[in-house]
Amino acid sequence: MKIIHLLSSILLFLLLANCTKAEDGYRLWLRYDKLTNAQLLEKYKTSFSSIVATGNSETITVLKEELTKGLSGLLGQQIVISGKSEMQGSLIIGTPQSSSIINSLKLGAELKIIGNEGYLLFTTLINNKKATIITANTDIGLLYGTFHLLRLVQTQKDISDLDFTNSPKVQHRLLNHWDNLNRTVERGYAGFSIWEWHTLPDYISTRYKDYARANASIGINGTVLTNVNADALILTSEYLEKVAALANVFRPYGIKVYLTARFSAPIEIGGLKTADPLDSAVISWWNKKAEEIYKYIPDFGGFLVKANSEGQPGPQDYKRTHAEGANLLATSVEPHGGIVMWRAFVYSNEQPDDRAKQAYSEFVPLDGKFKKNVIIQVKNGAIDFQPREPFHPLFGAMPNTPLMMEFQVTQEYLGQGIHLVYLAPLYKECYHSDTYSKDKESTVAKVIDGALHSYSYTAVAGVSNIGDDRNWCGHPMAQSNWYTLGRQAWDPYSSPEEIANDWIRMTFSNDANIIDPMLNIMMGSREACVNYMTPIGLHHQMAWHHHYGPGPWIKDKPRDDWTSMYYSKASENGIGFDRTKTGSNAINQYFPPVAEMYGTIASCPENVLLWFHHLPWDYKMKSGHTLWDELCYKYYSGVDSVKVMQAKWISLQGKIDHERFEHVKSLLNIQVRDAIEWRNACILYFQTFSKMPIPEGLEKPGQTLEYYMNIDRQFLPGS
Amino acid sequence: MKIIHLLSSILLFLLLANCTKAEDGYRLWLRYDKLTNAQLLEKYKTSFSSIVATGNSETITVLKEELTKGLSGLLGQQIVISGKSEMQGSLIIGTPQSSSIINSLKLGAELKIIGNEGYLLFTTLINNKKATIITANTDIGLLYGTFHLLRLVQTQKDISDLDFTNSPKVQHRLLNHWDNLNRTVERGYAGFSIWEWHTLPDYISTRYKDYARANASIGINGTVLTNVNADALILTSEYLEKVAALANVFRPYGIKVYLTARFSAPIEIGGLKTADPLDSAVISWWNKKAEEIYKYIPDFGGFLVKANSEGQPGPQDYKRTHAEGANLLATSVEPHGGIVMWRAFVYSNEQPDDRAKQAYSEFVPLDGKFKKNVIIQVKNGAIDFQPREPFHPLFGAMPNTPLMMEFQVTQEYLGQGIHLVYLAPLYKECYHSDTYSKDKESTVAKVIDGALHSYSYTAVAGVSNIGDDRNWCGHPMAQSNWYTLGRQAWDPYSSPEEIANDWIRMTFSNDANIIDPMLNIMMGSREACVNYMTPIGLHHQMAWHHHYGPGPWIKDKPRDDWTSMYYSKASENGIGFDRTKTGSNAINQYFPPVAEMYGTIASCPENVLLWFHHLPWDYKMKSGHTLWDELCYKYYSGVDSVKVMQAKWISLQGKIDHERFEHVKSLLNIQVRDAIEWRNACILYFQTFSKMPIPEGLEKPGQTLEYYMNIDRQFLPGS
């Protein structure tokens, strides 16, 4: 009786102590709540009956912290990690240098292949007793292995017979924060920047460490703190001191900091008259600046640069090439082991050529002219983070210059902070695209992981969706995109579905009644977004002063290539951007088999058809429908998919916590309305050209085109 | 043994469930953690053994929620509130209408004097058993009484023999949010606006309700959602729908919403050619707009207007008076019971007269010309929220027009988000100032609460320091300023020290070892700030493009009255603004006894001496020091006080939670540095005029004046 009373008190106390409120999303996928499967719990308790972790680094300290926090939470009992009695360990963590037991296992060959960040996670007999071993060449490897083991427990996997050999396929796995020094975030939909510059270096917010934990748990090992539209002030000593404070928090978690370098910084903060990359004073200024930076941050990662793009200064201001510009900065950080990530996202207003072609045209001639520590950062597609784009033609086309991937995690063109869109399928689609640069199976993934051209540096970056919203990413489900960015950077060949499954289990529940509908929602969400926004290869149909709602009618603006009509080429004759020989011939930038596939109407995948071809409204699609009808069906199916997502979400009521349930439900309400707006606005507008009816059986738009054209959203976040 | 095991599990689980992390400040002063005093706990449990709350309104629902949450937390056991068995109640809450027991107590006379928001909270015998009674004329009164009772428990007071008759002295107790529609906050130092306009009305953040709870707990009954530098868009139907959603959340807590009205709205969103208040189309537009607003929000509070001030449009654009402008809006909301708060913060660049005089000069001639539902909102002082200002001469000078108080809670001129400054003593200083408008004891408080001139409307507003930072106010201690604003608006005569004591107990601990040092820190903090920023009546010595750091050297700007030299009048002859007959004669705006006191050097309080008098550097102060030496001593004592605050804070290490301890500690580090910068910058600058040495025994500034003048802060929050 007393115990029952006590138990009810516990339950109550937990309630009262506001623990039910803890589902505000702050804990991300590292929630570590107690497992409810009693049988499994017993098995895990045995596996973790005695834990030994050897080593003395800061990384080992945070590893122990994480393991204690994680296992104590998951198992619901105090976990103690001892440095002693290695022989008794049921879980032994250490390098061959720090652990004599592990040293005695003679793992030299296995360890050799996993590099500096990989780990072995396996079950073996120690002293005739079963033990789980995590070992690596470095303490960071051990930390990654520990997070892997925690994930196995969080997702309720059998851990009685493990045998993992795991190492990242890509060296540099980074977040790019488009965060301004005034704490606004360009294309940020989750509040202010998490970097509280004003109170750094004095005040170290607990967020900084939790940010590092989350990143380390998914293998992210670098962060660019500042916006690519850069402010030179970040390179002054006042700010470097603040950056150093962040670097100190991140270091134990294997995360390096990088900064964006404003090309004209020598003028703005250096007092020079020029930023010409061949000017000796400029060269000397950057070299000294790099020295200064490395005094503050000895393991500083390097620079990310947006130059001569959308108004940013760059080497072309002095009639120098991107290579000359990049090499200037690369020289400055080279002695310190730094790298330069130079963005290929360039296009010119004065250039009449198809915007999709310009990066290729500018960069391919420079192949091989960059210093060894320069990586060219290429967006996944040639336009700009559209719901669907064919892969960027640069991939495969620069065998002598490392190319890295830039994905967008923040959903600039995919419903921003409001729409539920799981991006892993988009990332996979790009990774799996075959460039044919060296015969078949020359996938983008093989370009990115260096396999194809033996790049000495490999990297993947994701433009962050993180802000100071309590749940980090604004939309509770958008955390999955941060999660998958890391997982797919570690292994570009991994499965979006498996990653989503892990994320759901860690973030919500191991209950199949929750996993199944949620997985279903997530896996179809990106295609739904493509369909209600820009199906069949349409692109950049977003409204003018933000990229949230529809604006297919946008034309006659100062920059033609910032208008929707530039991309749709909709007219009475048809719709689509002819990028074949009869048009801009952008297909010619692809290797022949790809150019052939995209360039031929019959072989061009219909989901990018209007990206490459201008077709008449009555063109017959594979379905037998006319292009117009197919377009309509796609738009309607996009809306229908969101309604199904909504219904599935509502089925989760009472199964997951109230706070996140209601939050996502509210946002799905908006998403359904938005999807209908997208569908109706686009169909009504394109109908003014096609002059064809909406197919029978589809409900007619309830509003006129004028109504949709008059929607004028103000004060959207992130714009 | 089992129980011990269980108990340790509980403790652990609590730890692991992240409850230790709950000290992020989000819960404000409504933490409701279990009381640790076992004896007291038992007594309270008896008092709350049976709780009855009658009534069926939404307010009663939230009252029950709050009481359940509060008492369950504080007592550490499930509290059930029943609607039945009134006779058994140890705590009975209801109005005479809803409760037959309370009705039987025949409290008519007592209830008559407490009005619509007051309450009775007392102990009596019911059925020969001791019972606590909360009663009122309205359910809102009951809610206020309930929060009072909760506060007594939170602060561990004896509740066995209560006898409170409590009602607010001021009718309208409001927060003013200077929040823009893009979610930036003017003079906001705690992140973005908490109003998530983009996702309203669909998504109702849990913050909205917690905001309402916090406000109701301190008696705040109105909130102006938008910046006084207003955007007319808030008055469009799109936004009114969002405002209505917030009003629905706030209504059960007795909180009305108000909006700022941009005077030119009829042009901007109404399509009219003019906003002339005497134009019939304009009158009709506002009347219709008010009707529309009240359709969305039936209990809409009214408008707050900043007109013809700092570039805002207003009636003077059409050669109309403030009264004509205010009456236009007052007419529109009058049929619906709304009010108009019209700000007196006006001054003109073209007006050569002392800025401190202009509000009085413009408004006093209009006394009695405003409609009955207009209240003139007057800042506490005639300049602008300085660390210390004499009370505004308007108070007492408009007997026929209700005047209300505008305090600033956000610390625009008092160290913003960084400095620890408890503002209650500042508010009290103003409230207690004697205007002598009707003989002695005609205090500002008596103007504000209507006692002096029998105002039909009374109000106090505080410019909010709330943002979406997790802890609401940025600085953990700044929550106390929100708290005291409400308490001192409810009762302008209340004691800053008692309020601080309550706040500390509710927010941190009932332990005297924590209360004493914290109280000491808080109570001295405002005077410390005055001393290191602007002692002896100096004012507006802040830097140019923000108001954070020192800038006594600011001069030669487009607006003279935005410069520091305009206010200090520092020269080789001395320092201070002569506002006597030989100067601007601003003292003449005060009633004779006050004018006499301030205008005579000998009787002028030294803490505002340089506000009213220009004095030579060798003027002899009451201490015997020269003015110059005294100025130095004050600046140094300001710094010394902050160092003492810092030492006292450090003594709390280990006694309060780590997270808030470290946060405040970091900010105090910055505050000490800032105070030294203020001191050195001001003394070195003024020394260029006084040409006198810093008194012996005071440490010499470590940097030159040039060093301080070159500090150029960028990207400060809120500016």
Side-chain angles (χ1 to χ4, degrees):
Chain A
M1 266 300 284
K2 266 206 166 168
I3 287 181
I4 288 169
H5 180 75
L6 210 60
L7 276 171
S8 74
S9 298
I10 298 166
L11 209 70
L12 240 159
F13 201 94
L14 284 172
L15 274 164
L16 308 173
N18 253 341
C19 286
T20 45
K21 283 229 161 178
E23 296 303 2
D24 55 19
Y26 181 80
R27 294 181 295 159
L28 295 161
W29 48 87
L30 300 176
R31 286 163 72 246
Y32 301 143
D33 282 346
K34 190 177 173 182
L35 299 171
T36 46
N37 181 330
Q39 217 181 337
L40 211 56
L41 210 50
E42 282 318 302
K43 285 177 85 172
Y44 287 149
K45 283 183 183 171
T46 311
S47 297
F48 301 120
S49 57
S50 165
I51 305 176
V52 184
T54 58
N56 291 304
S57 67
E58 281 192 307
T59 297
I60 294 297
T61 304
V62 301
L63 179 158
K64 288 180 183 173
E65 266 176 34
E66 194 70 30
L67 198 60
T68 307
K69 182 187 179 78
L71 289 181
S72 300
L74 289 159
L75 307 186
Q77 65 180 39
Q78 182 63 44
I79 295 297
V80 180
I81 299 174
S82 91
K84 301 171 198 157
S85 64
E86 274 195 68
M87 292 303 284
Q88 305 304 319
S90 63
L91 168 60
I92 305 169
I93 303 171
T95 61
Q97 289 71 47
S98 66
S99 159
S100 55
I101 292 235
I102 285 169
N103 194 38
S104 73
L105 297 176
K106 307 286 177 215
L107 298 163
E110 289 88 343
L111 285 168
K112 201 169 174 187
I113 57 167
I114 59 168
N116 279 332
E117 297 187 304
Y119 55 85
L120 309 176
L121 166 58
F122 60 94
T123 312
T124 189
L125 290 181
I126 301 287
N127 243 0
N128 287 324
K129 263 183 54 193
K130 235 185 188 184
T132 306
I133 307 288
I134 301 175
T135 186
N137 295 307
T138 64
D139 290 348
I140 289 297
L142 299 179
L143 181 66
Y144 287 141
T146 300
F147 273 116
H148 189 155
L149 180 62
L150 281 167
R151 184 169 82 223
L152 295 174
V153 179
Q154 286 178 280
T155 57
Q156 305 198 347
K157 300 295 188 299
D158 180 0
I159 60 163
S160 61
D161 191 18
L162 301 177
D163 189 12
F164 289 102
T165 300
N166 203 338
S167 60
K169 296 209 161 38
V170 173
Q171 292 164 12
H172 298 283
R173 307 169 300 277
L174 305 106
L175 285 180
N176 286 185
H177 290 269
W178 287 359
D179 291 17
N180 300 313
L181 299 185
N182 67 358
R183 290 193 67 202
T184 58
V185 180
E186 188 169 330
R187 310 306 178 188
Y189 313 108
F192 266 153
S193 168
I194 54 173
W195 318 129
E196 303 185 30
W197 294 115
H198 185 42
T199 50
L200 279 168
D202 294 86
Y203 173 52
I204 304 298
S205 162
T206 51
R207 264 207 190 241
Y208 303 147
K209 183 168 175 145
D210 289 325
Y211 168 85
R213 290 176 51 234
N215 278 322
S217 77
I218 54 175
I220 285 174
N221 65 0
T223 178
V224 185
L225 301 176
T226 47
N227 193 354
V228 287
N229 293 319
D231 191 312
L233 223 57
I234 192 67
L235 303 175
T236 60
S237 59
E238 187 194 345
Y239 276 90
L240 290 174
E241 204 188 340
K242 299 168 189 280
V243 173
L246 291 174
N248 291 342
V249 179
F250 301 159
R251 188 171 296 109
Y253 292 93
I255 297 165
K256 285 187 180 181
V257 302
Y258 299 73
L259 294 173
T260 48
R262 186 161 161 92
F263 202 78
S264 50
I267 300 171
E268 288 153 7
I269 60 167
L272 301 189
K273 292 249 160 60
T274 178
D276 182 346
L278 302 192
D279 181 279
S280 63
V282 172
I283 295 169
S284 152
W285 187 87
W286 278 109
N287 291 345
K288 282 193 187 131
K289 181 50 72 180
E291 269 175 40
E292 184 190 358
I293 294 172
Y294 280 91
K295 269 192 196 120
Y296 281 102
I297 311 139
D299 57 350
F300 178 66
F303 295 124
L304 168 62
V305 189
K306 174 177 180 176
N308 292 121
S309 169
E310 300 183 320
Q312 291 298 307
Q316 294 179 340
D317 303 347
Y318 307 95
K319 310 219 179 301
R320 313 298 183 191
T321 67
H322 280 289
E324 287 166 321
N327 291 344
L328 165 74
L329 297 178
T331 302
S332 78
V333 294
E334 188 180 30
H336 313 282
I339 61 171
V340 168
M341 294 166 287
W342 193 269
R343 290 175 95 231
F345 179 65
V346 298
Y347 62 100
S348 166
N349 199 22
E350 288 135 34
Q351 171 68 263
D353 207 3
D354 180 2
R355 172 171 155 187
K357 291 168 64 181
Q358 296 184 38
Y360 182 102
S361 305
E362 276 207 50
F363 277 83
V364 168
L366 298 173
D367 188 26
K369 299 199 170 146
F370 291 91
K371 281 188 68 92
K372 210 182 147 216
N373 59 332
V374 175
I375 315 183
I376 305 303
Q377 182 164 321
V378 184
K379 290 188 181 182
N380 58 292
I383 296 295
D384 193 12
F385 299 134
Q386 295 303 297
R388 169 164 281 124
E389 293 194 41
F391 71 93
H392 202 301
L394 268 174
F395 294 122
M398 292 183 73
N400 302 306
T401 309
L403 301 186
M404 66 180 281
M405 177 66 74
E406 177 175 319
F407 283 128
Q408 204 176 34
V409 189
T410 191
Q411 295 168 226
E412 176 179 355
Y413 294 96
L414 293 103
Q416 302 184 353
I418 306 296
H419 294 199
L420 192 169
V421 184
Y422 176 53
L423 295 171
L426 186 160
Y427 302 159
K428 178 185 166 182
E429 189 170 289
C430 180
Y431 279 138
H432 281 227
S433 298
D434 198 338
T435 69
Y436 282 86
S437 66
K438 279 189 177 179
D439 215 338
K440 250 184 114 154
E441 305 283 321
S442 299
T443 60
V444 171
K446 286 187 184 166
V447 176
I448 294 304
D449 74 9
L452 209 60
H453 308 301
S454 305
Y455 289 156
S456 49
Y457 289 94
T458 60
V460 168
V463 180
S464 151
N465 63 349
I466 298 166
D468 77 345
D469 273 5
R470 183 61 182 169
N471 71 4
W472 301 85
C473 302
H475 197 305
M477 301 296 282
Q479 297 178 353
S480 64
N481 292 326
W482 175 10
Y483 183 80
T484 199
L485 187 277
R487 292 283 300 270
Q488 288 179 292
W490 180 282
D491 179 5
Y493 305 93
S494 54
S495 147
E497 187 150 0
E498 280 170 25
I499 293 169
N501 194 306
D502 280 348
W503 179 80
I504 294 166
R505 286 171 179 270
M506 295 161 85
T507 311
F508 283 93
S509 169
N510 280 288
D511 177 353
N513 292 317
I514 293 165
I515 298 168
D516 293 348
M518 219 179 262
L519 199 55
N520 197 292
I521 289 169
M522 288 170 73
M523 290 307 295
S525 59
R526 184 267 186 137
E527 204 61 34
C529 180
V530 169
N531 285 337
Y532 63 71
M533 283 187 182
T534 49
I536 320 184
L538 284 175
H539 47 292
H540 219 306
Q541 298 301 297
M542 290 75 186
W544 171 242
H545 60 289
H546 56 78
H547 294 145
Y548 181 73
W553 44 77
I554 303 294
K555 60 182 174 182
D556 301 332
K557 293 287 180 181
R559 285 192 73 140
D560 201 30
D561 55 2
W562 284 358
T563 71
S564 303
M565 287 298 279
Y566 173 87
Y567 295 103
S568 75
K569 304 275 193 259
S571 74
E572 296 191 12
N573 298 328
I575 187 169
F577 198 126
D578 182 3
R579 291 192 165 104
T580 68
K581 280 168 216 163
T582 57
S584 78
N585 205 20
I587 56 149
N588 198 41
Q589 294 183 337
Y590 289 105
F591 286 87
V594 182
E596 169 80 19
M597 173 191 62
Y598 284 148
T600 310
I601 297 176
S603 62
C604 182
E606 286 194 343
N607 65 13
V608 291
L609 193 60
L610 301 178
W611 188 284
F612 291 111
H613 301 278
H614 185 80
L615 294 170
W617 295 105
D618 59 1
Y619 169 79
K620 192 80 82 183
M621 301 289 286
K622 291 190 181 114
S623 62
H625 298 135
T626 62
L627 171 56
W628 166 253
D629 280 0
E630 184 85 355
L631 198 66
C632 290
Y633 284 122
K634 286 287 180 192
Y635 272 114
Y636 276 80
S637 88
V639 170
D640 293 343
S641 303
V642 182
K643 287 181 178 168
V644 171
M645 287 161 61
Q646 187 183 38
K648 280 187 195 292
W649 186 265
I650 286 168
S651 79
L652 294 171
Q653 183 153 25
K655 294 181 189 160
I656 63 169
D657 58 284
H658 181 74
E659 193 163 350
R660 289 184 297 178
F661 172 79
E662 287 294 332
H663 194 172
V664 174
K665 185 182 146 197
S666 319
L667 297 178
L668 277 167
N669 284 345
I670 306 177
Q671 189 174 353
V672 169
R673 279 207 310 273
D674 285 352
I676 292 170
E677 178 186 339
W678 265 99
R679 179 193 74 188
N680 292 354
C682 292
I683 286 182
L684 288 171
Y685 181 68
F686 293 137
Q687 196 177 33
T688 65
F689 301 111
S690 81
K691 308 198 189 299
M692 294 162 85
I694 294 171
E696 294 257 340
L698 299 181
E699 101 191 88
K700 301 292 168 283
Q703 303 282 356
T704 62
L705 175 59
E706 201 192 357
Y707 168 86
Y708 290 109
M709 290 179 74
N710 280 334
I711 292 175
D712 181 20
R713 292 186 164 83
Q714 302 282 338
F715 303 120
L716 288 188
S719 54
Chain B
M1 266 301 283
K2 267 206 167 170
I3 288 181
I4 289 170
H5 180 75
L6 209 59
L7 275 171
S8 74
S9 297
I10 299 166
L11 209 71
L12 240 159
F13 200 94
L14 285 173
L15 275 163
L16 308 174
N18 253 341
C19 287
T20 46
K21 284 228 161 178
E23 297 302 1
D24 55 20
Y26 181 81
R27 294 181 294 159
L28 296 159
W29 49 85
L30 300 175
R31 285 162 75 244
Y32 300 143
D33 282 347
K34 190 178 173 182
L35 299 170
T36 47
N37 182 330
Q39 216 180 338
L40 212 55
L41 210 49
E42 282 318 303
K43 285 177 87 171
Y44 287 148
K45 282 181 184 172
T46 311
S47 297
F48 301 120
S49 58
S50 165
I51 304 176
V52 183
T54 58
N56 290 304
S57 67
E58 281 192 307
T59 298
I60 295 297
T61 304
V62 303
L63 180 158
K64 288 181 183 172
E65 266 176 36
E66 194 70 31
L67 198 60
T68 307
K69 184 187 176 81
L71 290 182
S72 299
L74 289 159
L75 307 186
Q77 64 180 42
Q78 182 63 46
I79 295 297
V80 180
I81 299 174
S82 91
K84 301 171 199 160
S85 63
E86 275 194 66
M87 293 301 287
Q88 305 305 320
S90 64
L91 169 61
I92 304 169
I93 303 172
T95 62
Q97 289 71 45
S98 66
S99 160
S100 54
I101 294 233
I102 285 170
N103 193 38
S104 72
L105 297 176
K106 308 283 175 216
L107 298 163
E110 290 87 344
L111 286 168
K112 200 168 175 189
I113 57 168
I114 60 170
N116 280 330
E117 298 186 303
Y119 55 86
L120 310 176
L121 167 56
F122 60 95
T123 312
T124 189
L125 290 181
I126 302 286
N127 243 358
N128 289 321
K129 263 181 56 193
K130 232 184 190 181
T132 307
I133 307 288
I134 301 175
T135 187
N137 294 306
T138 64
D139 290 349
I140 289 298
L142 299 179
L143 182 65
Y144 287 141
T146 301
F147 273 116
H148 188 157
L149 181 61
L150 282 167
R151 184 170 82 222
L152 295 175
V153 179
Q154 286 179 280
T155 57
Q156 304 196 350
K157 300 296 189 297
D158 181 358
I159 59 165
S160 59
D161 190 17
L162 301 177
D163 188 13
F164 289 102
T165 300
N166 203 338
S167 60
K169 296 208 160 39
V170 173
Q171 291 163 14
H172 298 282
R173 307 169 300 277
L174 305 106
L175 286 180
N176 287 185
H177 289 269
W178 288 358
D179 292 18
N180 300 312
L181 299 184
N182 68 358
R183 291 191 67 200
T184 57
V185 180
E186 188 170 328
R187 311 304 179 189
Y189 313 107
F192 267 153
S193 168
I194 55 172
W195 318 130
E196 302 186 31
W197 295 115
H198 186 41
T199 51
L200 278 168
D202 294 86
Y203 173 51
I204 304 296
S205 162
T206 50
R207 263 204 192 244
Y208 304 147
K209 184 170 174 139
D210 290 325
Y211 168 85
R213 291 175 52 232
N215 278 323
S217 78
I218 53 175
I220 285 175
N221 65 0
T223 177
V224 185
L225 301 175
T226 46
N227 193 352
V228 288
N229 292 319
D231 191 313
L233 223 56
I234 192 69
L235 302 176
T236 60
S237 60
E238 188 193 344
Y239 276 89
L240 290 174
E241 204 187 341
K242 298 167 189 277
V243 172
L246 291 175
N248 291 342
V249 179
F250 302 159
R251 188 170 297 111
Y253 291 93
I255 298 164
K256 284 187 181 182
V257 300
Y258 299 73
L259 295 173
T260 48
R262 186 161 161 92
F263 201 77
S264 51
I267 300 170
E268 287 153 8
I269 60 167
L272 301 188
K273 293 249 159 62
T274 178
D276 182 344
L278 301 194
D279 182 278
S280 63
V282 171
I283 295 168
S284 154
W285 187 88
W286 278 110
N287 291 345
K288 282 194 188 131
K289 181 50 75 181
E291 268 174 41
E292 185 190 357
I293 293 173
Y294 280 89
K295 269 192 198 122
Y296 282 102
I297 310 138
D299 57 350
F300 178 66
F303 294 124
L304 168 63
V305 189
K306 173 176 181 177
N308 292 121
S309 170
E310 300 183 320
Q312 291 298 308
Q316 295 178 338
D317 302 349
Y318 307 94
K319 311 221 179 299
R320 313 299 183 190
T321 67
H322 280 289
E324 287 166 320
N327 292 345
L328 166 73
L329 297 178
T331 302
S332 77
V333 295
E334 188 180 30
H336 313 282
I339 61 172
V340 168
M341 294 166 286
W342 193 268
R343 290 174 96 230
F345 180 64
V346 298
Y347 61 100
S348 165
N349 197 22
E350 287 135 36
Q351 171 69 264
D353 206 5
D354 180 1
R355 172 171 157 187
K357 290 168 65 180
Q358 297 184 38
Y360 182 102
S361 306
E362 276 206 50
F363 277 84
V364 169
L366 297 174
D367 188 24
K369 299 200 171 145
F370 292 91
K371 280 187 71 92
K372 209 183 148 216
N373 60 332
V374 175
I375 315 183
I376 305 301
Q377 181 165 321
V378 184
K379 291 188 180 182
N380 59 291
I383 296 295
D384 193 11
F385 299 134
Q386 295 302 299
R388 168 165 283 125
E389 294 194 43
F391 70 94
H392 202 299
L394 269 174
F395 294 122
M398 292 182 73
N400 303 306
T401 308
L403 300 185
M404 65 181 280
M405 177 65 75
E406 177 177 320
F407 283 128
Q408 204 176 36
V409 189
T410 191
Q411 295 167 228
E412 175 179 355
Y413 293 96
L414 293 102
Q416 302 184 354
I418 306 297
H419 295 199
L420 193 170
V421 184
Y422 176 53
L423 295 172
L426 186 161
Y427 302 159
K428 178 185 168 182
E429 189 171 289
C430 180
Y431 279 137
H432 282 226
S433 297
D434 198 338
T435 69
Y436 282 86
S437 65
K438 282 188 176 179
D439 215 337
K440 247 181 116 150
E441 305 283 321
S442 300
T443 60
V444 172
K446 287 188 185 168
V447 176
I448 294 305
D449 72 11
L452 209 59
H453 308 302
S454 306
Y455 288 157
S456 49
Y457 288 94
T458 59
V460 168
V463 180
S464 150
N465 64 349
I466 298 166
D468 77 343
D469 273 6
R470 182 64 183 166
N471 72 4
W472 302 85
C473 302
H475 196 305
M477 302 295 283
Q479 296 178 353
S480 64
N481 292 327
W482 176 9
Y483 183 81
T484 198
L485 186 278
R487 293 283 301 269
Q488 290 179 288
W490 180 281
D491 179 5
Y493 306 92
S494 54
S495 145
E497 188 150 357
E498 280 170 25
I499 293 170
N501 194 306
D502 280 348
W503 179 80
I504 295 166
R505 286 172 180 270
M506 295 161 86
T507 311
F508 284 93
S509 169
N510 279 289
D511 177 354
N513 292 316
I514 293 164
I515 297 168
D516 293 348
M518 219 179 263
L519 199 55
N520 197 292
I521 289 169
M522 288 170 72
M523 290 307 296
S525 58
R526 185 266 186 141
E527 203 61 35
C529 180
V530 169
N531 285 336
Y532 63 72
M533 283 187 181
T534 49
I536 320 183
L538 285 175
H539 48 291
H540 218 307
Q541 298 300 297
M542 289 74 186
W544 171 242
H545 60 290
H546 55 78
H547 294 145
Y548 182 73
W553 43 78
I554 303 294
K555 59 181 174 184
D556 301 333
K557 293 286 179 182
R559 285 192 72 138
D560 199 30
D561 55 4
W562 284 358
T563 70
S564 304
M565 287 298 278
Y566 173 88
Y567 296 102
S568 76
K569 304 273 192 264
S571 74
E572 296 192 11
N573 299 328
I575 186 167
F577 197 126
D578 183 1
R579 292 192 164 102
T580 68
K581 283 171 216 163
T582 56
S584 77
N585 204 19
I587 55 150
N588 198 39
Q589 295 184 335
Y590 290 104
F591 286 86
V594 181
E596 170 80 22
M597 172 190 64
Y598 284 148
T600 311
I601 297 177
S603 63
C604 182
E606 286 194 344
N607 65 14
V608 291
L609 192 61
L610 302 178
W611 188 284
F612 292 110
H613 300 277
H614 185 82
L615 295 169
W617 294 106
D618 58 2
Y619 170 79
K620 193 79 83 186
M621 302 289 286
K622 294 195 177 105
S623 62
H625 298 136
T626 62
L627 172 58
W628 165 253
D629 280 0
E630 184 85 353
L631 197 67
C632 291
Y633 284 123
K634 285 286 180 193
Y635 272 114
Y636 276 81
S637 88
V639 170
D640 291 345
S641 302
V642 183
K643 286 182 178 168
V644 171
M645 286 161 62
Q646 186 183 39
K648 281 188 193 293
W649 186 265
I650 286 169
S651 79
L652 295 171
Q653 182 153 27
K655 294 180 189 160
I656 62 169
D657 57 286
H658 181 73
E659 194 164 347
R660 289 184 295 176
F661 171 79
E662 287 293 333
H663 194 171
V664 175
K665 184 181 148 199
S666 315
L667 296 178
L668 277 167
N669 285 345
I670 306 177
Q671 188 174 354
V672 169
R673 280 206 311 272
D674 285 351
I676 293 170
E677 179 186 337
W678 265 100
R679 178 193 74 188
N680 291 354
C682 292
I683 286 182
L684 288 171
Y685 180 68
F686 293 136
Q687 195 176 35
T688 64
F689 301 110
S690 81
K691 308 199 188 300
M692 293 162 85
I694 294 169
E696 294 257 341
L698 300 181
E699 102 191 87
K700 298 292 167 284
Q703 302 283 355
T704 63
L705 175 59
E706 200 193 358
Y707 168 86
Y708 290 110
M709 289 178 76
N710 281 332
I711 291 176
D712 181 21
R713 292 186 165 84
Q714 302 283 338
F715 302 119
L716 286 189
S719 55

